[in-house]
Amino acid sequence: MKKISKIALAIALGLSMTACSSGTATKDKSDVKIGVIQYTEHPALDKAYDGFVKQLKKAGYKKSQIDFKNAQNDQSNCETIANKFVNDGDDLIYAIATPAAQAAKGKTDDIPIVISAVTDPKAAGLVQSNKKPGENVTGTSDLNPVEEQIELLQKLVPNAKKVGIMYCSSEDNSIVQAKLARKAIEKAGMESQDFTVSETNQIQQVAESMVGKVDAVYIPTDNMLAESISSVTSVTNENNLPCIVGESNMCEGGGLATYSIDYEKLGEQAGKMAVKILNGADPATMKIQYQSKDDLQLYINRKVANQLGITIPDEYKDATDIGE
């Protein structure tokens, strides 16, 4: 059941309330309750949470006012957590990663929801438009610099003719990135082939199936594969198959290189948006925010590069070495 609007309830009871344009009543700061759903345990998503909390504390909110729940990579847990936050009458929900955001959106049209680590909120059915959300959801996107990452692949593996794109077929954000990757690979004059998984226990088998079929692999910021990246790279690196990955923690897990956004800064952006909403801003009018290109950072796992016999071009000499 959808939660009844606080403003509608106030009118029905004849109460006098000062309401913000998003439909939530302004409160004393110490009375605000914020629920957080994080889809799974992963360093990138953890940083998106840390950045959010940092901004809330900076604005005068206490960590004790934030009810953090991790869904442990289980969609049914997301649904249960979202129900709890709605039933508790939380003033704002922060949802980290697409499945968590979709669960929260499915439970309330009234409580403001700030999202993060969602690649394309519009494609995920969370907003009417990324420029004009139109409802109770807004936040930050972790859309990757896919074209730059494919260019990086081509520079590091100049003889690559066919690239495998490995991702989870049930993650909307991964589907969006895979589509972008196909276009970028074709634009670069190479061919692509999809290799998809739907369950964790398929990852190693699918990784093994790429050997001998492609010259390099691209893995986007896929929640399932990010959590199990070592299962992929243990196969690919052993078989001299370079992997360009979506973000730095996947690179640390055995990927060769990446241009990565800063997830803590992404969380900070989301936190600033949450503070504005708690102070009366309307999420329906707050466009989805993206990481600035100036915040992107190049990471190379030189240990993996040495293992694969890859020479790092001079133009990348200042890259952060994540394989030390």
Side-chain angles (χ1 to χ4, degrees):
M1 180 179 291
K2 300 284 188 183
K3 180 176 175 63
I4 185 169
S5 161
K6 293 180 181 178
I7 189 72
L9 181 60
I11 293 171
L13 295 175
L15 299 177
S16 175
M17 297 174 65
T18 301
C20 71
S21 57
S22 63
T24 61
T26 56
K27 284 185 173 184
D28 184 271
K29 190 174 289 185
S30 62
D31 293 331
V32 168
K33 295 190 298 183
I34 301 163
V36 178
I37 314 175
Q38 182 172 313
Y39 179 55
T40 189
E41 291 182 14
H42 184 268
L45 303 188
D46 294 344
K47 289 178 181 177
Y49 171 65
D50 291 341
F52 179 82
V53 172
K54 179 179 178 180
Q55 285 301 314
L56 267 290
K57 290 173 71 176
K58 187 175 180 180
Y61 297 92
K62 298 178 181 178
K63 195 168 182 179
S64 60
Q65 295 174 254
I66 302 172
D67 186 3
F68 173 81
K69 303 292 182 187
N70 193 305
Q72 303 296 332
N73 200 29
D74 188 321
Q75 185 63 39
S76 64
N77 286 344
C78 288
E79 304 287 336
T80 301
I81 295 166
N83 267 329
K84 177 185 184 301
F85 293 158
V86 171
N87 292 334
D88 287 349
D90 284 2
D91 298 285
L92 184 139
I93 296 173
Y94 179 46
I96 308 173
T98 302
Q102 290 171 327
K105 174 59 180 171
K107 301 302 179 184
T108 178
D109 290 329
D110 300 311
I111 298 175
I113 300 169
V114 175
I115 62 176
S116 190
V118 175
T119 301
D120 188 339
K122 171 67 167 63
L126 297 167
V127 296
Q128 295 176 15
S129 162
N130 290 330
K131 290 185 178 180
K132 295 180 180 179
E135 299 181 43
N136 62 320
V137 179
T138 188
T140 59
S141 165
D142 65 347
L143 180 63
N144 271 323
V146 176
E147 192 165 339
E148 287 85 349
Q149 289 171 342
I150 297 303
E151 181 182 346
L152 177 63
L153 183 154
Q154 199 167 36
K155 289 284 185 69
L156 295 176
V157 195
N159 295 324
K161 292 181 173 58
K162 193 166 189 178
V163 180
I165 306 172
M166 187 174 180
Y167 62 99
C168 176
S169 59
S170 61
E171 289 191 26
D172 290 331
N173 66 310
S174 303
I175 294 169
V176 169
Q177 292 175 85
K179 183 178 180 179
L180 292 172
R182 285 186 217 108
K183 290 182 179 179
I185 290 167
E186 182 180 355
K187 182 179 178 181
M190 299 180 290
E191 297 179 26
S192 66
Q193 181 175 346
D194 285 9
F195 293 87
T196 63
V197 297
S198 57
E199 298 178 358
T200 304
N201 59 13
Q202 299 173 339
I203 290 175
Q204 184 169 348
Q205 182 181 358
V206 173
E208 291 172 348
S209 74
M210 294 190 291
V211 177
K213 294 180 182 177
V214 296
D215 306 306
V217 178
Y218 176 72
I219 304 175
T221 52
D222 180 291
N223 291 303
M224 182 180 291
L225 291 177
E227 190 175 24
S228 304
I229 189 63
S230 60
S231 296
V232 179
T233 57
S234 64
V235 173
T236 55
N237 291 340
E238 182 67 26
N239 289 276
N240 294 315
L241 196 55
C243 280
I244 299 299
V245 291
E247 50 87 23
S248 60
N249 293 288
M250 297 169 77
C251 191
E252 190 172 349
L256 171 61
T258 188
Y259 276 112
S260 180
I261 64 175
D262 187 323
Y263 276 83
E264 185 168 350
K265 288 184 178 179
L266 200 71
E268 289 178 16
Q269 285 178 264
K272 290 176 182 177
M273 297 177 81
V275 170
K276 288 181 180 179
I277 291 168
L278 292 170
N279 284 319
D282 184 358
T285 65
M286 299 171 69
K287 67 181 180 180
I288 299 298
Q289 293 188 12
Y290 297 84
Q291 189 114 101
S292 166
K293 287 189 176 181
D294 293 337
D295 290 325
L296 297 176
Q297 189 164 358
L298 173 61
Y299 295 89
I300 295 178
N301 191 323
R302 292 182 185 273
K303 183 178 180 180
V304 170
N306 291 335
Q307 179 183 342
L308 299 175
I310 290 174
T311 301
I312 306 301
D314 288 342
E315 65 184 289
Y316 298 146
K317 65 180 180 180
D318 295 328
T320 300
D321 183 1
I322 211 163
E324 294 178 328

